[in-house]
Amino acid sequence: MFDLYLSVEQQKREQQDLDAVHEQADLYASLSSEGRFDGICGLPPTQPQDYQYWDGYQVGLREYWTKKLGVEIETPF
């Protein structure tokens, strides 16, 4: 009986850990998308302290300036 309880408890904790990982990944994707959008529009950064946001912002800003200057990049970023 005790083994069954431990098994159920371990499964619950594993699921909680997986949920936390998925939540973190969703947050990263959201901040990265928000930063990329701001960069593509040429807006000033609103959350430069967040790594995920800043990473997306840099990619978007690169796209903004390459289009604006008419520069063709062989390999997309």
Side-chain angles (χ1 to χ4, degrees):
M1 184 69 172
F2 186 70
D3 291 338
L4 177 65
Y5 173 76
L6 286 177
S7 176
V8 169
E9 184 66 27
Q10 184 176 4
Q11 287 176 351
K12 284 181 185 178
R13 288 184 183 194
E14 287 174 356
Q15 187 60 42
Q16 288 174 342
D17 289 344
L18 284 174
D19 290 344
V21 167
H22 290 297
E23 185 177 320
Q24 187 67 25
D26 290 343
L27 177 63
Y28 176 84
S30 174
L31 282 172
S32 180
S33 296
E34 187 179 327
R36 186 164 184 243
F37 177 78
D38 287 351
I40 288 174
C41 293
L43 300 171
T46 57
Q47 300 174 25
Q49 69 278 8
D50 289 323
Y51 172 77
Q52 296 87 357
Y53 173 88
W54 189 249
D55 191 34
Y57 182 80
Q58 289 176 338
V59 171
L61 198 60
R62 221 176 295 148
E63 290 178 26
Y64 171 79
W65 281 105
T66 54
K67 278 185 184 177
K68 189 169 184 165
L69 297 174
V71 176
E72 297 253 352
I73 299 177
E74 223 174 276
T75 307
F77 295 105

